[in-house]
Amino acid sequence: MNEQVKIIKGNLIFTKTSNKFEVIEHGYLVYTDNQIQGVYQVLPPDYAPLPVEDYGSRLIIPGFSDLHIHAPQFSFRGLGMDMELLEWLETNTFPEEAKFQDPAYAKKAYEIFVDSLRRGVTTRACVFATVHRASTLLLMDLLEASGLVTFTGKVNMDRNCPDYLCEETQESAEETLEWIKDVKHRHYRNTKPILTPRFIPSCSDELLEKIKMLQLRYALPVQSHLSENPGEIAWVQELCPESEFYGDAYDRYGLFGADCRTVMAHCVHSDEREIARMKENGVYIAHCPESNMNLSSGIAPVRTFLDQGLHVGIGSDVAGGSADFLFRAMAHAIQASKLRWRLADDSLRPLTASEVFYMASKGGGSFFGKTGSFEPEYEMDAVVLDDKRLGHPQEMDVQQRLERMIYLADDREVYAKYAAGKKIL
Ligand code: GUN
Ligand code: FE
């Protein structure tokens, strides 16, 4: 018998497809190192002699992937939420992000951010840092120490931002190259670099060309923002008159899926052409419903994305979103879809609990590989939830307990957590 086989037991609940939950009451989850072997109602005899970590009647779910979060914005979440995107960037975001020039401030802020993420339901995330190389590395050191699995990016911006945050084109590219080399030397296990051109308004054509060269040289993934706000979209059309639509402005530089793994946040106002290109190029969409409400961006047509078979995950988009706790984002996704259905387009059915669960786990998780499910060969990410604080007089089955958790839980319900085969909480 392999010494490395480990077993945890509890009420297992996960999704293989978006339309239904798989439930194994008092089931066994068997894994080796960082690979799930299987889930069982009755433990196979081979495993019988092995010790079992028994979580009793607690729920065990796969870890969630937050496909879009800004680490430096955690410090001002909940503040200045009465503006739209472009004004909010100028007034709140850029002045705050400038503070990360100072490593001492960055350390203080990033410790608070990483600690919160570690205590929540997220096991994986696509993280924006700032333009600053040193503090981005500091953030990556902290994320690595936490055991969370992330793609983390030094932001690029060389135009349309205040002088104190703006990089020269050449400097932006060179700093990014040096940052990639620094990351390689650190030999992180769970913390990987991702190219992060902030969005088209803050990146010149020349900078995008240079970023593509780095993408090809180091085979890196890409994250950015897309079609979030009408004013932003009109601005992109002015800046890139030759582009057919917003996403095309990335695609012209090879930064929109196809040969590079790409995740785009928002896609609230993507038209048919943009949706078709995202599908063709395999672009991931990070749906960030709370941010879209807070910044009055709108409500993304997630039903359309799902029906057309696009990759859609959930993002918190802190600080556009105020909460890094992904159950909250899932509840917002359902609620936003209901308003959209009622007010904008009653042909697009609202999202269900199993659909948002799938998006937060297996759907978005596939950006990282085989993660977000308890099927064999998936990586071992799991969150153990204890709902005893949320008292109830009636009988409830496991699925009901989970559904309720989407709306009611916070990090007090997170009892234990495993990421990439290691217990991190
Ligand atoms: N677009 C460009 N930068 C940002 C950002 O920091 N947050 C959001 N929500 N959208 C952006
Ligand atoms: Fe964002």
Side-chain angles (χ1 to χ4, degrees):
M1 176 66 65
N2 188 333
E3 289 291 296
Q4 302 290 344
V5 176
K6 297 197 177 112
I7 306 170
I8 61 173
K9 186 180 182 196
N11 285 313
L12 308 174
I13 179 160
F14 62 106
T15 46
K16 290 182 189 168
T17 58
S18 64
N19 59 351
K20 79 174 188 0
F21 285 107
E22 311 289 328
V23 178
I24 306 182
E25 286 186 35
H26 299 290
Y28 298 86
L29 190 166
V30 178
Y31 66 101
T32 311
D33 299 325
N34 180 21
Q35 197 178 70
I36 290 172
Q37 304 299 310
V39 285
Y40 309 95
Q41 184 69 76
V42 177
L43 197 61
D46 274 4
Y47 299 130
L50 298 173
V52 174
E53 174 90 65
D54 190 348
Y55 287 108
S57 64
R58 296 182 183 92
L59 307 186
I60 305 179
I61 62 170
F64 291 149
S65 288
D66 187 338
L67 285 194
H68 187 76
I69 185 163
H70 296 261
Q73 298 179 14
F74 193 73
S75 53
F76 67 94
R77 67 201 192 287
L79 294 175
M81 301 264 69
D82 49 1
M83 290 170 238
E84 285 191 47
L85 174 67
L86 299 175
E87 187 191 5
W88 175 81
L89 287 173
E90 289 288 331
T91 312
N92 281 350
T93 308
F94 294 154
E96 280 298 326
E97 288 194 8
K99 295 179 186 169
F100 288 74
Q101 168 104 39
D102 172 8
Y105 185 84
K107 180 166 185 294
K108 229 192 282 182
Y110 283 153
E111 278 173 354
I112 297 169
F113 165 74
V114 173
D115 185 53
S116 178
L117 209 59
R118 192 181 70 88
R119 285 186 287 101
V121 276
T122 297
T123 51
R124 299 184 183 237
C126 293
V127 183
F128 278 57
T130 61
V131 295
H132 313 101
R133 173 152 65 104
S135 63
T136 301
L137 288 165
L138 203 149
L139 169 63
M140 294 175 89
D141 288 346
L142 292 168
L143 285 165
E144 179 70 9
S146 75
L148 295 163
V149 182
T150 65
F151 284 117
T152 297
K154 175 212 163 316
V155 170
N156 296 100
M157 41 205 295
D158 71 340
R159 67 176 179 186
N160 295 317
C161 51
D163 289 347
Y164 57 76
L165 208 53
C166 207
E167 305 172 295
E168 295 289 335
T169 307
Q170 188 61 24
E171 173 202 4
S172 183
E174 280 169 9
E175 282 290 286
T176 305
L177 172 61
E178 291 308 312
W179 164 69
I180 294 165
K181 289 183 186 165
D182 289 339
V183 171
K184 280 194 171 293
H185 288 138
R186 278 165 148 84
H187 300 289
Y188 296 128
R189 176 173 179 267
N190 291 324
T191 315
K192 305 285 181 231
I194 182 167
L195 293 166
T196 307
R198 182 173 208 118
F199 67 158
I200 291 291
S202 57
C203 297
S204 67
D205 295 357
E206 201 188 338
L207 179 56
L208 294 177
E209 263 172 34
K210 290 179 187 297
I211 291 173
K212 180 60 184 179
M213 272 154 48
L214 292 171
Q215 192 279 317
L216 287 173
R217 181 162 161 198
Y218 292 99
L220 296 179
V222 173
Q223 60 181 353
S224 194
H225 296 90
L226 182 67
S227 296
E228 178 176 4
N229 169 288
E232 171 210 23
I233 294 167
W235 195 16
V236 169
Q237 195 56 54
E238 269 172 43
L239 290 166
C240 309
E242 73 290 356
S243 62
E244 292 170 42
F245 47 88
Y246 191 159
D248 186 51
Y250 293 112
D251 204 14
R252 282 168 180 263
Y253 295 95
L255 298 170
F256 201 62
D259 68 349
C260 73
R261 195 168 6 160
T262 301
V263 57
M264 287 285 159
H266 308 300
C267 310
V268 173
H269 304 283
S270 296
D271 65 12
E272 278 173 20
R273 295 167 304 168
E274 188 160 276
I275 293 173
R277 188 78 61 84
M278 286 193 284
K279 182 174 163 78
E280 192 181 322
N281 289 7
V283 170
Y284 276 71
I285 296 167
H287 174 45
C288 307
E290 193 200 350
S291 169
N292 298 156
M293 291 190 270
N294 288 338
L295 299 177
S296 308
S297 303
I299 304 172
V302 180
R303 171 65 60 207
T304 303
F305 300 152
L306 292 177
D307 285 351
Q308 297 199 20
L310 276 73
H311 298 292
V312 198
I314 300 274
S316 63
D317 193 29
V318 162
S322 62
D324 61 325
F325 194 70
L326 273 206
F327 273 139
R328 193 66 40 81
M330 289 157 62
H332 283 130
I334 296 173
Q335 290 164 333
S337 73
K338 288 179 175 169
L339 289 177
R340 196 178 198 287
W341 172 79
R342 175 62 71 195
L343 298 173
D345 185 349
D346 67 7
S347 73
L348 296 177
R349 274 181 299 120
L351 300 173
T352 65
S354 68
E355 284 172 332
V356 296
F357 188 93
Y358 180 86
M359 286 193 273
S361 54
K362 188 174 173 179
S366 63
F367 191 76
F368 293 84
K370 283 195 155 188
T371 77
S373 178
F374 290 155
E375 293 160 78
E377 294 179 16
Y378 272 67
E379 291 193 53
M380 175 52 187
D381 286 15
V383 178
V384 183
L385 300 164
D386 187 329
D387 57 353
K388 72 171 177 302
R389 185 179 68 94
L390 310 171
H392 55 92
Q394 76 277 47
E395 287 288 315
M396 253 184 226
D397 64 23
V398 169
Q399 184 172 325
Q400 288 173 318
R401 286 169 62 198
L402 190 272
E403 282 179 18
R404 206 170 69 120
M405 204 82 82
I406 295 173
Y407 292 86
L408 304 183
D410 61 32
D411 59 18
R412 286 173 289 182
E413 275 64 55
V414 180
Y415 186 80
K417 182 153 104 173
Y418 299 79
K422 297 255 180 337
K423 189 163 189 283
I424 67 167
L425 188 74

